[in-house]
Amino acid sequence: MQDLSRRRFMKGAAAATLAAPFISTGARAAAPDKKLGVALCGLGSLSTKQIAPALQKTQHCRLAGIVTGSSEKAEEWRKRYDLPKRSVYSYDTMHRMADNDDIDIVYVVTPNALHLEHTVAAAQAGKHVFCEKPLEISVERCQQMIDACKAAERMLGTAYRCRFEPHHQECIRLAREQELGPVRIIEAGFGIDVGRPDQWRLKHALSGGGALMDVGVYALQATRYLTGEEPVLVTATETKTDAVKFKEVDETISWTAQFPSGANAYCTASFKIGGIKNFRANCERGWFELDPAYYYGGIKGSRSDGKPLSFPEVDMFAAQLDDFARCIKERRPTIVPGEEGLQDVRIMSAIYESARTGRAIRI
Amino acid sequence: MQDLSRRRFMKGAAAATLAAPFISTGARAAAPDKKLGVALCGLGSLSTKQIAPALQKTQHCRLAGIVTGSSEKAEEWRKRYDLPKRSVYSYDTMHRMADNDDIDIVYVVTPNALHLEHTVAAAQAGKHVFCEKPLEISVERCQQMIDACKAAERMLGTAYRCRFEPHHQECIRLAREQELGPVRIIEAGFGIDVGRPDQWRLKHALSGGGALMDVGVYALQATRYLTGEEPVLVTATETKTDAVKFKEVDETISWTAQFPSGANAYCTASFKIGGIKNFRANCERGWFELDPAYYYGGIKGSRSDGKPLSFPEVDMFAAQLDDFARCIKERRPTIVPGEEGLQDVRIMSAIYESARTGRAIRI
């Protein structure tokens, strides 16, 4: 165990909201150039195809361990990435990471409803936690994750990769600086053909919800980081065309949202209809949009005034991990703390409640 | 007065729904090439800039009269369009059209809440009525218009010009023939900077509502003619940033809608933010969209498969009037009967009710 007494405690609501990196990373804090070790917890498609390759491109991180329930995957990954045997864990043994100084961060990439368990295990083992979106399946469980990391004096980050992508960052700048006037009406949607019917995303107990939880969260995030505000009222309708495949979760859901400034959003998420992948921010003197906005690459932007909104491609997974590592090294807050993930879960819960009850939900 | 005994009556719900042109047009029915005379009722900007010029381009109509409350406008229009003095009416004298065989159709272009009065006057004078959108400010008043035209055995049409525009018609074909699969999710929005604060559109008593009634109706129409279905449930939120200008009517309103097939729509309307003017129909195997979709010209279409969605420009006002005249001459139903206008008013009333009460409204 690391020396808890060396850590500074953080006080006050503002600090808590920021989830500032109040924590020394022990000996490693003295070596800012050292790459932080990341253990991937959950070796599904996302870890395999996106995150592990991205870790090869990071400046401040390296793949240092894995947590998996599959001995085959364990062996395959250990060989492929030349990992020491002691850095290969199962979900039952991951608490032993406490003794493994090679691992600084656990990136939780398991099904949504397992994020709490794996975050708590990682935090209690003294590791910082970076967690895939959505943070968890309920506000209460998100709060427990935040509390667990706070108690262990570890940072908790939510994997909102778009926040580290230059097109999105430029759109946030355009919105904040009101280059085209204040943002007034946002249209945002993300729909995918979710694929195989036997995946965990379609099981409510593991996912907590369907299209909204998995892809709608990108559109919801966009409405929040473009307005810089929190929605105060949402309404929603949900529809299904395949009641068998989408028996347990939402196939398609659309929602509207009110923001305190008078901004308004209309949005959709779908597990059935691909090709919806955009946002458009309509401002008082024009608009800007990204389409595609949320894919792993190929982001394209445009503005009503014809000025370019184009940047070189980045690996968003690498960018978000490098930022998280720098936050840890430099003891500054991440822009994607657990509280940010919790807030989206809170709003998504309200959207589901609206669709279920037929009432506008005040947040 | 025309000879009512020569007219055939129409029976049955289906016929009533179609608002079939069951009516002989008297002597003119024997002269199919004769242009039908149109009296413009209300000489505001739309009549001046769009409809009167369009009438010069029609094949089956001609400007044959005017109804205005302004003696200056009366004189100006009479001279400009070489109208006989007897075809110039005020709102108080328009009932005398009954004696004027030069006028076959009255095109009602007055503020929304006056449509009923002017439609009843025109119908009772034996004229067919073509009426600007929205048809009226309540379902009840729309029904009274329909009833008045039915009692007078005259046709009632709603000025949904997009229905006569080839890009929109091609989109309807794409939807019906499911060329890209069934339509599943529609995004549609229309926003304009409404302009001067002293106009009737901002007075609730005259308009019945703001952005939704005036421009949102285009987006709503699109969701209906693209799905070919009626929404069964709507939710909505309304926001304001200028509570003075938009004291009486909605500035910005967004809504969602459920359709029986499982199609879903997310939409917006605004009197504050221009540049929103599109729809996009997301189908099971791709999408098609128009943007701009609702302007008087310059309609542009695109499809996910890259195939062209482009047609020569037409004058939509001329096209809709020619169609209405042909319907009268050929004794066939219009695709934009009063019932179509009423249905949109019914749904818009539900959208307003949802925004006001915070409840999803079942239609």
Side-chain angles (χ1 to χ4, degrees):
Chain A
M1 288 292 284
Q2 299 186 23
D3 181 5
L4 288 169
S5 68
R6 292 175 57 199
R7 294 172 194 156
R8 288 182 297 140
F9 279 84
M10 188 180 186
K11 310 279 186 193
T17 300
L18 288 170
F22 49 92
I23 308 141
S24 153
T25 54
R28 278 178 292 286
D33 293 338
K34 185 180 177 300
K35 287 189 171 189
L36 298 191
V38 175
L40 278 182
C41 176
L43 302 181
S45 170
L46 189 69
S47 285
T48 307
K49 295 180 186 166
Q50 303 297 334
I51 304 172
L55 275 164
Q56 312 304 308
K57 305 177 198 167
T58 51
Q59 293 190 311
H60 302 277
C61 303
R62 63 185 184 89
L63 180 62
I66 51 176
V67 184
T68 176
S70 156
S71 51
E72 290 79 16
K73 280 188 187 174
E75 192 55 15
E76 186 192 327
W77 278 66
R78 194 183 63 76
K79 287 182 183 162
R80 187 190 311 158
Y81 291 105
D82 194 23
L83 298 168
K85 277 194 176 169
R86 69 180 190 109
S87 295
V88 175
Y89 299 92
S90 72
Y91 299 111
D92 294 330
T93 63
M94 66 184 285
H95 62 279
R96 294 186 200 149
M97 280 183 196
D99 300 322
N100 190 339
D101 277 351
D102 286 349
I103 296 170
D104 302 278
I105 299 166
V106 174
Y107 190 161
V108 176
V109 201
T110 49
N112 305 342
L114 304 178
H115 290 181
L116 170 59
E117 175 187 336
H118 299 145
T119 294
V120 169
Q124 289 182 347
K127 308 306 176 187
H128 301 284
V129 179
F130 200 66
C131 184
E132 263 306 313
K133 37 58 58 183
L135 193 62
E136 246 286 355
I137 63 168
S138 72
V139 169
E140 294 69 26
R141 293 173 69 88
C142 290
Q143 190 60 55
Q144 290 173 45
M145 291 168 67
I146 293 168
D147 293 344
C149 290
K150 200 166 291 180
E153 299 174 337
R154 300 288 84 183
M155 276 185 69
L156 174 60
T158 317
Y160 287 139
R161 58 186 167 75
C162 293
R163 298 292 298 274
F164 304 95
E165 198 283 330
H167 295 81
H168 288 261
Q169 290 171 326
E170 170 68 359
C171 287
I172 293 170
R173 186 194 69 76
L174 286 171
R176 288 298 171 286
E177 298 182 6
Q178 303 193 352
E179 199 169 307
L180 298 168
V183 173
R184 294 303 192 200
I185 305 174
I186 299 173
E187 183 260 305
F190 197 5
I192 61 169
D193 178 345
V194 74
R196 292 174 49 164
D198 59 350
Q199 62 188 296
W200 67 260
R201 283 176 182 78
L202 303 177
K203 307 291 174 198
H204 193 273
L206 284 172
S207 63
L212 177 61
M213 291 288 273
D214 195 59
V215 290
V217 67
Y218 287 95
L220 171 59
Q221 264 275 304
T223 65
R224 294 178 57 235
Y225 57 68
L226 293 172
T227 58
E229 297 176 59
E230 299 302 335
V232 290
L233 190 77
V234 293
T235 76
T237 55
E238 187 196 331
T239 54
K240 265 189 228 301
T241 63
D242 186 339
V244 175
K245 183 170 179 177
F246 301 104
K247 185 182 176 194
E248 298 187 18
V249 299
D250 43 307
E251 175 187 314
T252 293
I253 191 162
S254 293
W255 72 95
T256 74
Q258 270 184 20
F259 292 83
S261 66
N264 195 305
Y266 61 119
C267 304
T268 202
S270 181
F271 261 178
K272 170 91 173 183
I273 301 300
I276 307 174
K277 52 190 173 2
N278 74 301
F279 69 69
R280 178 155 160 170
N282 299 281
C283 311
E284 292 210 355
R285 295 190 302 273
W287 49 260
F288 55 89
E289 70 180 353
L290 299 185
D291 187 4
Y294 313 115
Y295 289 168
Y296 297 146
I299 312 295
K300 283 199 173 70
S302 52
R303 301 169 45 142
S304 57
D305 59 10
K307 288 185 184 171
L309 180 40
S310 181
F311 296 89
E313 185 117 351
V314 302
D315 186 311
M316 290 179 251
F317 289 94
Q320 68 178 355
L321 281 167
D322 266 340
D323 184 84
F324 193 63
R326 282 198 305 269
C327 287
I328 292 169
K329 289 180 180 182
E330 298 164 14
R331 304 181 187 186
R332 57 178 171 84
T334 168
I335 59 170
V336 289
E339 286 80 357
E340 182 74 3
L342 178 145
Q343 175 65 0
D344 284 325
V345 171
R346 187 197 309 280
I347 299 163
M348 290 192 288
S349 300
I351 291 169
Y352 280 133
E353 186 183 347
S354 178
R356 192 174 64 246
T357 64
R359 289 188 295 111
I361 304 298
R362 198 160 289 280
I363 300 168
Chain B
M1 288 292 281
Q2 299 185 23
D3 180 6
L4 287 170
S5 68
R6 292 174 56 198
R7 294 172 194 155
R8 287 183 298 141
F9 279 85
M10 187 181 186
K11 310 279 184 192
T17 300
L18 289 169
F22 48 91
I23 307 142
S24 154
T25 55
R28 277 178 292 287
D33 293 339
K34 186 180 178 297
K35 286 189 171 189
L36 298 190
V38 175
L40 277 182
C41 175
L43 303 181
S45 169
L46 188 69
S47 285
T48 307
K49 295 180 186 165
Q50 304 297 332
I51 305 173
L55 276 164
Q56 312 304 308
K57 304 177 198 167
T58 51
Q59 293 190 310
H60 301 277
C61 303
R62 63 185 184 89
L63 180 61
I66 50 176
V67 184
T68 175
S70 156
S71 50
E72 290 78 16
K73 280 188 188 175
E75 193 56 15
E76 186 191 329
W77 279 65
R78 194 183 62 76
K79 287 180 183 164
R80 188 189 310 159
Y81 292 105
D82 195 24
L83 297 169
K85 277 195 174 169
R86 70 179 189 110
S87 295
V88 176
Y89 299 92
S90 73
Y91 299 112
D92 295 330
T93 62
M94 66 184 286
H95 62 280
R96 294 183 199 152
M97 280 183 194
D99 300 323
N100 189 339
D101 279 350
D102 286 351
I103 296 170
D104 302 277
I105 299 165
V106 174
Y107 189 160
V108 176
V109 200
T110 49
N112 305 344
L114 303 177
H115 290 179
L116 170 59
E117 176 186 335
H118 299 144
T119 294
V120 169
Q124 290 182 346
K127 308 307 176 187
H128 302 285
V129 179
F130 200 66
C131 184
E132 261 307 314
K133 38 57 56 184
L135 192 62
E136 247 285 353
I137 63 168
S138 72
V139 169
E140 295 69 26
R141 292 172 71 87
C142 290
Q143 190 60 54
Q144 290 172 45
M145 292 168 68
I146 293 168
D147 292 345
C149 290
K150 200 166 290 178
E153 299 175 334
R154 301 287 85 182
M155 277 186 70
L156 173 61
T158 317
Y160 287 139
R161 59 188 167 75
C162 293
R163 299 291 298 274
F164 304 95
E165 198 283 328
H167 295 81
H168 288 262
Q169 291 171 325
E170 170 67 0
C171 287
I172 293 170
R173 186 195 69 75
L174 286 171
R176 288 298 170 287
E177 298 182 6
Q178 303 193 352
E179 198 168 307
L180 298 167
V183 173
R184 293 302 191 201
I185 304 175
I186 298 173
E187 184 259 306
F190 196 7
I192 61 170
D193 179 346
V194 73
R196 291 174 51 166
D198 59 350
Q199 61 187 294
W200 67 261
R201 282 176 182 79
L202 302 178
K203 307 291 175 198
H204 193 273
L206 283 173
S207 63
L212 177 62
M213 291 290 271
D214 195 58
V215 290
V217 67
Y218 287 95
L220 171 59
Q221 265 274 302
T223 65
R224 294 178 56 235
Y225 57 67
L226 292 172
T227 58
E229 297 175 59
E230 299 302 334
V232 290
L233 190 79
V234 294
T235 76
T237 55
E238 187 195 329
T239 54
K240 265 190 227 301
T241 63
D242 186 340
V244 176
K245 183 171 180 179
F246 301 102
K247 185 181 176 196
E248 298 187 19
V249 300
D250 43 306
E251 176 187 314
T252 293
I253 190 163
S254 293
W255 72 97
T256 73
Q258 270 183 19
F259 292 83
S261 66
N264 195 305
Y266 60 119
C267 303
T268 202
S270 181
F271 260 179
K272 171 91 174 185
I273 301 300
I276 307 174
K277 53 192 173 4
N278 74 302
F279 68 70
R280 177 155 161 171
N282 299 281
C283 312
E284 292 209 356
R285 296 191 301 274
W287 50 259
F288 54 89
E289 71 179 354
L290 299 185
D291 188 3
Y294 314 114
Y295 289 168
Y296 297 145
I299 313 295
K300 283 200 175 70
S302 52
R303 300 168 46 143
S304 56
D305 59 10
K307 289 186 184 170
L309 180 40
S310 181
F311 297 89
E313 185 120 350
V314 301
D315 186 311
M316 289 179 251
F317 289 94
Q320 68 178 357
L321 281 168
D322 266 341
D323 183 83
F324 193 62
R326 281 197 306 269
C327 287
I328 292 169
K329 288 180 182 182
E330 298 164 13
R331 302 181 187 187
R332 59 177 171 83
T334 168
I335 58 169
V336 290
E339 286 80 357
E340 182 74 5
L342 177 147
Q343 175 65 359
D344 285 325
V345 171
R346 186 197 310 280
I347 298 163
M348 291 192 289
S349 300
I351 291 169
Y352 280 133
E353 187 183 346
S354 178
R356 191 175 64 246
T357 64
R359 289 189 295 113
I361 304 299
R362 198 159 287 279
I363 299 167

